[in-house]
Amino acid sequence: MADVDRLRRLNEALGHERTDLVLAALGSRLNAAFAHDANAARIGEDEFAVLAPRGTGTVAERVREALEQPLRVAGFDIYPTVSIGSAQAEGGPDAPDPAEMLRRVELAVEQAKTAGRGGVAAYGRALERS
């Protein structure tokens, strides 16, 4: 999951209508980057998720490449950054359900945000204790 950094500041500077254009452009970029081998979607105000099978390369790097390129919206140059959290599902009878996977990814995103803008974190049991 990627969480757009400083969305509140972007809203204050550009207004909601222009910020929505930024988010739509970011969503289009993410969809294009994963069109052939994964599913990407905007799942919250400033959150994007990618559901990728194993072997699709380093997903976090691909998300960063897609979302952190400068863009021009309504005459403004925007330089987005994102905080990225990830979790891998284990197979078999002990595999977590989708709600649990989302919870794990959200924990990882929160950890990434504590590292500062543009942070990346992967879910691990240690996050459960922090």
Side-chain angles (χ1 to χ4, degrees):
M1 176 186 302
D3 190 292
V4 179
D5 296 326
R6 303 173 303 200
L7 185 69
R8 181 177 294 145
R9 288 186 61 197
L10 199 59
N11 270 327
E12 291 169 358
L14 299 178
H16 292 286
E17 188 174 305
R18 289 184 182 135
T19 300
D20 285 343
L21 294 174
V22 170
L23 293 169
L26 294 177
S28 293
R29 286 180 176 183
L30 196 61
N31 281 324
F34 289 96
H36 301 291
D37 60 354
N39 294 306
R42 182 175 172 194
I43 62 168
E45 181 181 20
D46 62 346
E47 296 173 328
F48 296 89
V50 175
L51 179 60
R54 292 177 193 226
T56 57
T58 306
V59 174
E61 287 177 25
R62 290 175 63 192
V63 168
R64 186 174 307 288
E65 287 173 12
L67 298 182
E68 290 193 347
Q69 297 297 315
L71 66 146
R72 189 164 183 81
V73 172
F76 294 91
D77 292 323
I78 310 297
Y79 301 90
T81 61
V82 293
S83 296
I84 300 170
S86 65
Q88 278 194 330
E90 311 89 32
D94 294 330
D97 64 16
E100 174 61 16
M101 283 302 297
L102 186 58
R103 187 189 72 77
R104 291 177 181 187
V105 170
E106 288 172 343
L107 279 172
V109 168
E110 288 305 313
Q111 181 68 26
K113 286 181 148 309
T114 63
R117 285 189 304 240
V120 177
Y123 174 81
R125 298 280 180 217
L127 289 180
E128 294 290 345
R129 290 180 239 124
S130 45

